[in-house]
Amino acid sequence: MLPKIPFTLVCLLLVGQLSFAQQKAKDNVVIEKKIDALMAKMTIEEKIGQLNQYTGDRLATGPVTANSTKFQDIKMGRVGSMLNVRGAADTRMVQEIALQSRLKIPLIFGLDVIHGYRTHFPIPLAEAASWDLDAIELSAHIAATEAAASGLHWTFAPMVDISRDPRWGRVMEGAGEDPYLGSLIARARVHGFQGNGLGNTDAIMACVKHFAAYGAAIAGRDYNTVDMSEHMLWETYLPPFKAAADAGAATFMNSFNELNGIPATGSSYLQRDILKGKWGFTGFVVSDWGSVREMVAHGFARNNYEAAKYAITAGSDMDMEGHAYIDNLKKLVNDKKVDIALIDDAVRRVLRKKFELGLFDDPFRFSDAARETKVLSDPKNKIAARTVAEKSIVLLKNQNQVLPLSKTTKSIAVIGPLAKSGDDMKGGWAVPWENDHLVSLYEGLMNKVGNSVKLTYAQGCSITDSSKAGFAEAVETARNADVIVVAIGESAYMAGEAKSRANLNVPGVQEELIKALKATGKPMIVMMMAGRPLIFNYTAQNADAILYTWWLGTEAGNAMANVLFGDYNPSAKLPITFPRAEGQIPIFYNAKNTGRPVKDLNDIVYKSAYIDMPNSPAYAFGYGLSYTTFTLTDLKINQPKMTKDGKLQVTCMLKNTGNYAGAQVVQLYLHDLVASVTRPVKELKDFQKVFLQAGESKEVTFVIDKEKLSFYDSKLNWITEPGEFKLMIGDASDHIVLESSFELID
Ligand code: BGC
């Protein structure tokens, strides 16, 4: 029961809230007035300059457009923002140049701070596996704190693209396949980055990307065309964007792909109608790298002049390293092809953020070398990175309870091409640092066991080449140990942007190494390191235990060692489906039933099935084991019927029935049995991650409201329809333990 709050306290809280809202409204009025005054002084060239973004040369993250006059352009007020310039000293130096411009408008500095800045956190897909929103928010907040101490104002994150296709290398940057989980994570990341609001020196602007539907590139090939129904767009791909906009994200980035024939960068539908119109977004939209001029290659614009016209008209406010705006917008206005009001609106949006960041009060407030040194060496950040890494590791298999390793283990053979790699633990999109040190698996084990356990090592093979020359040594090493821990997978450079793969196998001869090691008969634990779901059917069948460790960042090895020895009991769940074969892709749990569903695996004739393998995945969305066991019992729904404006309370008992303390993610799925637009057989609608001591029980409560039962009708109205709903509770999308139903009535 909720504690009773005294009426006077409620009043005080309300008054507090109101005055906060009032204060914000007042600040906004002041800012708009300042923008008016500044814009009144700006020439058209200076206005267009605010919409122009260049990359710094040291860290280019895309094809650089040759421009030797960058600094001159900044001095002339022809640049609004720089990306890929970082560090208190460098940003100060470049900001000083901007302050030599006529109106002294400060620059915004942006960078891809995707999973940590100085401290590398697990890749976003790994963090999503934690299903721990506080941990995800904390990770983003620490990244923001570090970045903001290093002169940065803006991260190009979170990437909230839903993807059902692990061939697409950028699945590593997102939160997986599910719109509900993805929306909660999008919100957590925006809150983490923007903290208590822009203007604080531990907050940076979030940039929600890539708007929209980039994750559905045909055949998983990066930058490829996207073609999808409006229903799929609204139901599956847009929700995390909406959640991020509602969470107050300062900026959005559009995307490289075309959507139903229109490049996203030139899509008024996406940027004006949906984002700035329906969702009331007041921030600004930056193009993706060169995506304005890429509309020429798409066959949408004849030249950069036309591309600039389409992009600004469609609501793309800033041109990232594309030169299309700076070269063409003035002429477009003079030629009466673009209304100056469009440019004014875009400039106003950019300036608004500069005011909110406090850059006009102090352009150097984020470029403070002393703060940078202090914050970037804060030991707390590493501890947080380790905690988040532990929470991101998914236990896929644990035959005969081979894990956790016994504290009396005498010798461990650490084998595999990734066992001693610290560098790969960074994963894609990590900020580069000189003398960067990430803890490898081997080092983490050494840190944990010191001399008390004999650790031996053999590489066995490399990640990609076909030589088996190292197998004999690896097998010999394994023979002489109590247990084998093998680290295989992808290198960090095999997932990320432009890293699509047609084969999702573990590259090279790594699975053959597993086969050779299996012959020793020693217990074998496989640490699978990757930026996407891989296909590893041999390992799945033959390893004794499998931990999917993704790429875990700075503290990777320490986190893995803690999990191997049971100092942390794995609690993660897959945020994306793992296929058995590439031919099953796209594969996702929230699919439709079809008119000919498979009910019995022995009866697939004229059914929606493959004749050569089951429809089911290797590992389902929501799946992940623990060292302990849990039961779910006593499902209760407080009433069998619910009115549209009513609420339904669902409870069940979770019990830790094993020998270790641990956390379980209790997952609630719904199925609207009959609707005017068919509904998926299962949709995640709620979950709770609950920590229990061994033997402990807890009642878990969920509340079902109208929002959870709504869907888009054939006209794309967000509605509910009366009827029966199936309710399912389980610990994975394919492991439903409790089932019931209820009816929604008018
Ligand atoms: C990527 C964006 C990234 C930008 C800047 C582009 O190639 O698609 O996600 O933010 O480069 O690095």
Side-chain angles (χ1 to χ4, degrees), residues 53 55 59-63 83-84 110-114 155-157 159 161 170 173 207 209-210 214 222-223 253-256 286-290 294 320 429 497:
Q53 185 188 49
T55 182
L59 269 180
T61 44
L83 78 151
N84 298 335
L111 186 81
D112 293 280
V113 180
I114 306 293
T155 174
F156 305 119
M159 187 197 98
D161 293 307
R170 301 195 80 167
E173 286 175 62
C207 181
K209 67 190 192 185
H210 304 86
Y214 182 36
D222 211 356
Y223 316 122
M253 184 186 292
N254 58 36
S255 56
F256 289 128
V286 64
S287 79
D288 203 347
W289 182 295
E294 284 181 17
M320 179 189 284
W429 284 117
E497 185 175 349

Side-chain angles (χ1 to χ4, degrees), residues 96-118:
E96 269 162 4
I97 300 175
L99 295 182
Q100 293 168 35
S101 63
R102 191 179 75 92
L103 293 172
K104 305 190 185 341
I105 302 178
L107 293 164
I108 299 179
F109 294 105
L111 186 81
D112 293 280
V113 180
I114 306 293
H115 51 107
Y117 178 67
R118 180 67 196 89

Side-chain angles (χ1 to χ4, degrees), residues 356-395:
E356 288 176 12
L357 282 163
L359 294 179
F360 285 97
D361 299 331
D362 177 4
F364 303 110
R365 64 192 313 203
F366 295 86
S367 306
D368 173 340
R371 186 155 53 87
E372 180 178 40
T373 310
K374 189 164 161 247
V375 172
L376 299 198
S377 57
D378 185 343
K380 284 201 301 297
N381 298 352
K382 270 195 187 164
I383 297 170
R386 183 162 69 229
T387 307
V388 178
E390 289 165 356
K391 291 181 174 181
S392 304
I393 298 172
V394 191
L395 178 64

Side-chain angles (χ1 to χ4, degrees), residues 31-47:
I31 286 179
E32 295 308 313
K33 281 199 177 133
K34 287 182 178 170
I35 298 173
D36 289 340
L38 181 56
M39 284 184 61
K41 292 188 219 153
M42 291 171 84
T43 63
I44 182 158
E45 286 87 355
E46 284 164 337
K47 286 180 178 173

